[in-house]
Amino acid sequence: MIHQKQPTQPQSTAQYWEDVRAQFNLSPDYLHLGASQFIASNPRPVREAIANYRRVLDENPVFNTLDMENDEMQKVRQAAARYLHLDDPDNIALTDSTTMGLGMIYTGLNLQPGQEILTTEHDHYSQHESIRQATARTGATYRKVRMYDRLHHVTQEEMVESIVRAVRPETRVVGITWVHSSTGLKTPVGLIGQALADLNRHRDEADRALLLVDGVHGFGIERDTFPELSCDFFITSGHKWLYGPRGTGLVAATHAAWQTVSPIIPSYTEAMDVIIEKNERPDHMDGKQMTPGGFHSLENRWAFTAAFEFMEQLGRERVCERVHQLNRQCKEGLAAMSHVTLHTPLSDELSSGITSFEVRGYNTDKVIERLKEQKIVATKAPYTHYNYARFTPGIINTEEEIEQALEAVRNLR
């Protein structure tokens, strides 16, 4: 096997990103402008970690699983806590996806009849369905509100005000998305969290409005840490912008937030040993107890650590700047085309790694098909009202590729 060098301090910016790109086994036959947002290719260190753990498990699956599982999962929690700037790794639950995390937290919430969940019209199917199912079981209710009237004129202030204005005394949870996969709009999560904290100062602990964030399309791009987001629950997957193993995800939460949920799947962490041996349960909830038990793709889950280490080596500041640079190039190019409608704000403050657009005279499926004919991978937003084509420039892409994709769109007349 040929080993390529890890990217080091570059002689030039272009060469640095070429070295990063060389870590991925992406087919050179395609221009990949959909993988980061959908399901990512893994860089060499992640692939090698998966292969190593698979070898170890194949050699002695029983003893090596029993000997390694808790320690390797804790290494993942520690790496995730370091990346998120979370003090206690035990406040992280490991999951298989963002959807699993949303489902287990909403279903596990100790909701009461008369309480409600507030969310927005712009959120993903997985969040809406998790909320609907949770309220149907508990007798609580939910509402959807609009965060903005016109996307092209949206401001952070408008989004914060729309959420805060909609909160009622019975609102127990506010569920929002950091970066919308429909339009690429970036929600000011930290400002919303601070505003809810102000409201909660006048509420009893049992009535606090908890902020739950689907963070998957900001995670791996944006600079904000868990404390800076000022949320109670942060839910994400590892197989998108973090370029981690497929079938990985996590829930990060504050210690207080964990006390508001109950496990819906028995844990296989150390909590299981306490329950079996002492016939008693820990006296407080945490991410370990909320981590679903059963046998998972252990080689992938344990290799999650390698993804955090790879991104830390690149540096979150450098990654953020690169992704925004490429998306800015993409957005500005699309905005200059008279036959294209850009549905993503131009401002870095209001967008991240997803660029959504429509082409006059083509439905979205036809746009995707025409681009595919030119070996350009794009995706479409799976929403009823936001069925747009999407480019998702990431660290695997170059400026030349963005221009090539823009030229292909220019020719769709």
Side-chain angles (χ1 to χ4, degrees):
M1 180 168 52
I2 296 174
H3 291 275
Q4 296 167 337
K5 294 188 300 182
Q6 287 288 90
T8 56
Q9 187 64 31
Q11 294 179 347
S12 71
T13 300
Q15 183 59 54
Y16 179 82
W17 291 113
E18 283 295 332
D19 290 345
V20 172
R21 181 186 175 87
Q23 302 296 304
F24 295 83
N25 278 345
L26 289 160
S27 168
D29 297 332
Y30 288 87
L31 196 169
H32 300 272
L33 281 172
S36 302
Q37 174 273 328
F38 189 67
I39 189 163
S41 175
N42 296 146
R44 179 177 62 82
V46 175
R47 296 195 307 273
E48 291 185 346
I50 294 171
N52 179 63
Y53 284 125
R54 182 177 295 125
R55 176 185 56 78
V56 168
L57 289 167
D58 284 339
E59 288 174 350
N60 199 329
V62 175
F63 286 166
N64 287 339
T65 297
L66 292 173
D67 289 345
M68 296 172 64
E69 184 170 17
N70 283 335
D71 288 344
E72 295 302 324
M73 287 172 62
Q74 193 64 6
K75 289 178 184 177
V76 176
R77 291 190 190 89
Q78 290 166 349
R82 188 169 62 247
Y83 185 83
L84 288 165
H85 293 197
L86 191 65
D87 289 338
D88 186 354
D90 288 356
N91 282 332
I92 291 176
L94 301 181
T95 69
D96 295 350
S97 66
T98 305
T99 297
M100 176 186 280
L102 289 166
M104 77 181 205
I105 295 301
Y106 277 118
T107 302
L109 281 165
N110 302 321
L111 291 170
Q112 304 298 319
Q115 294 181 325
E116 72 161 15
I117 299 174
L118 176 68
T119 189
T120 82
E121 296 179 4
H122 321 287
D123 289 283
H124 191 270
Y125 157 86
S126 294
Q127 179 135 234
H128 285 165
E129 274 297 284
S130 297
I131 291 170
R132 184 190 64 79
Q133 293 169 2
T135 53
R137 291 187 183 97
T138 60
T141 60
Y142 70 92
R143 283 184 297 129
K144 298 177 183 178
V145 298
R146 290 188 62 81
M147 284 205 305
Y148 55 85
D149 289 326
R150 293 181 297 171
L151 181 63
H152 292 96
H153 296 87
V154 67
T155 65
Q156 289 187 333
E157 291 75 17
E158 179 186 14
M159 288 187 277
V160 174
E161 183 180 347
S162 296
I163 294 295
V164 173
R165 186 173 60 241
V167 174
R168 296 173 178 171
E170 63 267 27
T171 304
R172 180 57 167 148
V173 183
V174 177
I176 61 174
T177 297
W178 192 3
V179 178
H180 293 187
S181 61
S182 52
T183 62
L185 174 68
K186 182 168 66 178
T187 304
V189 172
L191 295 177
I192 292 172
Q194 293 168 20
L196 289 178
D198 290 339
L199 292 179
N200 284 329
R201 290 193 181 96
H202 306 289
R203 294 186 172 207
D204 293 336
E205 184 66 24
D207 297 322
R208 288 180 63 249
L210 302 169
L211 180 59
L212 187 155
V213 177
D214 174 346
V216 68
H217 290 301
F219 185 65
I221 300 175
E222 298 300 323
R223 301 177 177 89
D224 308 63
T225 64
F226 181 79
E228 290 168 340
L229 290 170
S230 300
C231 59
D232 296 280
F233 294 100
F234 181 86
I235 302 172
T236 188
S237 68
H239 47 246
K240 294 185 186 291
W241 298 95
L242 201 77
Y243 302 94
R246 288 172 276 280
T248 56
L250 63 86
V251 179
T254 65
H255 175 79
W258 281 127
Q259 311 319 306
T260 68
V261 294
S262 300
I264 61 170
I265 299 175
S267 169
Y268 274 13
T269 59
E270 295 91 335
M272 178 180 72
D273 299 329
V274 173
I275 293 169
I276 291 174
E277 294 173 9
K278 300 182 179 180
N279 196 28
E280 62 184 37
R281 283 162 178 77
D283 57 5
H284 67 276
M285 189 58 59
D286 61 14
K288 282 187 173 182
Q289 294 174 71
M290 285 296 293
T291 296
F295 287 103
H296 303 268
S297 300
L298 297 178
E299 59 267 49
N300 282 22
R301 176 166 286 191
W302 299 349
F304 202 178
T305 300
F308 286 108
E309 292 172 346
F310 178 76
M311 295 300 283
E312 286 177 328
Q313 182 182 24
L314 299 185
R316 66 194 310 149
E317 289 287 333
R318 183 185 285 133
V319 169
C320 182
E321 290 172 5
R322 177 64 172 179
V323 175
H324 277 279
Q325 172 205 339
L326 294 175
N327 276 271
R328 196 178 312 118
Q329 177 188 353
C330 190
K331 289 182 291 186
E332 290 173 354
L334 292 169
M337 301 179 197
S338 60
H339 66 301
V340 171
T341 301
L342 178 67
H343 289 290
T344 302
L346 285 167
S347 164
D348 288 353
E349 183 181 72
L350 294 170
S351 62
S352 189
I354 297 173
T355 297
S356 300
F357 62 98
E358 289 181 290
V359 179
R360 188 172 62 243
Y362 293 83
N363 64 33
T364 297
D365 287 334
K366 191 64 175 179
V367 171
I368 302 300
E369 180 184 333
R370 289 292 300 274
L371 291 170
K372 183 179 179 181
E373 290 170 358
Q374 300 177 68
K375 304 292 188 180
I376 298 172
V377 180
T379 60
K380 73 172 184 177
Y383 294 77
T384 302
H385 303 296
Y386 307 102
N387 187 21
Y388 307 138
R390 299 177 295 190
F391 286 147
T392 57
I395 61 172
I396 58 175
N397 298 116
T398 66
E399 293 91 337
E400 292 75 19
E401 287 182 327
I402 304 304
E403 186 50 45
Q404 182 182 339
L406 291 173
E407 185 62 23
V409 177
R410 287 189 192 99
N411 293 331
L412 293 179
R413 291 182 180 273

